[in-house]
Amino acid sequence: DSGVTQTPKHLITATGQRVTLRCSPRSGDLSVYWYQQSLDQGLQFLIQYYNGEERAKGNILERFSAQQFPDLHSELNLSSLELGDSALYFCASSVGFSGANVLTFGAGSRLTVL
Amino acid sequence: GNSVTQMEGPVTLSEEAFLTINCTYTATGYPSLFWYVQYPGEGLQLLLKATKADDKGSNKGFEATYRKETTSFHLEKGSVQVSDSAVYFCALSIRTGANNLFFGTGTRLTVIP
């Protein structure tokens, strides 16, 4: 157990729908990251939050949004889902926000869009 | 830009064989380098890291040396076990930048008894 908790583990939904993925960071970590792992794109950085503020943005689609709440948990919202959004979505956390900090990953949420 | 290129897989080895997975990088700043491992059905786990040139990261019999002159961070293990079967990812982050990791494409290793 890495200490980073992601729910749900698996999610199956239809095209056009909206889903929310949740992440609780490791105790003491202030920074949360979201990554997408798909067969064709590999591991892609989506977005980073630090203590409630957006810190960095990667290849995140406009249909996707995220936030980090005062209790430091984070949610990734995916809307108008397409078949190509089927992927494993990982959350990671770290103490700080700079590149010197090591990331701890959760077990992932597997999204299947039918 | 920042990117990581790692050896294409899959790699299949017999138990106790020597393992090398090549990784080279391009970085605009001063990178930290990492190897992550993903076992079947699980998330990524940090295997080892190195934060400056000539540093050697090591863990569970795996080693990698940060070579600035060749921009490489090759992963090695002298004697692999069946339990090492997993996907291995090389990654970098820029220490003074935002802490998003740039990952290679991953190399799947299968070790057969």
Side-chain angles (χ1 to χ4, degrees):
Chain A
D1 183 1
S2 68
V4 178
T5 304
Q6 289 188 247
T7 57
K9 287 191 178 353
H10 302 277
L11 191 54
I12 301 174
T13 189
T15 54
Q17 296 298 304
R18 172 189 169 96
V19 299
T20 298
L21 309 180
R22 183 188 167 99
C23 170
S24 293
R26 202 176 54 152
S27 179
D29 287 356
L30 299 179
S31 198
V32 169
Y33 313 75
W34 287 98
Y35 284 82
Q36 179 194 58
Q37 185 180 34
S38 60
L39 284 175
D40 55 343
Q41 296 286 329
L43 267 162
Q44 298 281 322
F45 167 69
L46 295 178
I47 198 162
Q48 176 197 6
Y49 284 84
Y50 176 77
N51 206 19
E53 301 285 328
E54 183 183 304
R55 185 74 192 172
K57 192 176 265 194
N59 299 323
I60 189 166
L61 300 172
E62 284 191 14
R63 299 184 285 109
F64 296 180
S65 64
Q67 59 183 126
Q68 186 180 26
F69 294 86
D71 68 352
L72 301 178
H73 91 272
S74 178
E75 293 181 356
L76 178 66
N77 300 296
L78 316 174
S79 61
S80 303
L81 286 168
E82 302 175 0
L83 296 178
D85 297 327
S86 295
L88 197 51
Y89 291 85
F90 285 110
C91 172
S93 70
S94 67
V95 173
F97 55 78
S98 74
N101 287 267
V102 174
L103 274 64
T104 301
F105 283 79
S109 293
R110 183 171 295 281
L111 173 66
T112 303
V113 182
L114 301 176
Chain B
N2 300 304
S3 66
V4 173
T5 301
Q6 69 180 99
M7 174 177 163
E8 295 265 338
V11 173
T12 303
L13 295 173
S14 297
E15 209 165 19
E16 299 183 5
F18 184 85
L19 169 71
T20 299
I21 301 178
N22 289 339
C23 170
T24 57
Y25 67 88
T26 303
T28 55
Y30 196 17
S32 294
L33 301 173
F34 307 85
W35 277 100
Y36 278 84
V37 58
Q38 185 177 26
Y39 297 102
E42 298 184 15
L44 283 81
Q45 301 175 26
L46 178 67
L47 181 59
L48 52 85
K49 67 172 183 171
T51 57
K52 63 182 187 298
D54 299 325
D55 265 3
K56 177 186 281 189
S58 61
N59 186 25
K60 299 181 182 180
F62 291 90
E63 292 183 341
T65 301
Y66 186 144
R67 301 282 188 207
K68 190 177 177 185
E69 63 276 13
T70 55
T71 61
S72 65
F73 193 54
H74 305 320
L75 182 68
E76 295 182 337
K77 186 174 185 182
S79 175
V80 293
Q81 305 300 313
V82 172
S83 58
D84 294 327
S85 298
V87 181
Y88 293 82
F89 292 90
C90 185
L92 72 84
S93 68
I94 303 302
R95 286 195 280 143
T96 55
N99 195 16
N100 43 305
L101 286 166
F102 297 86
F103 283 94
T105 52
T107 302
R108 181 177 298 279
L109 170 67
T110 301
V111 180
I112 54 177

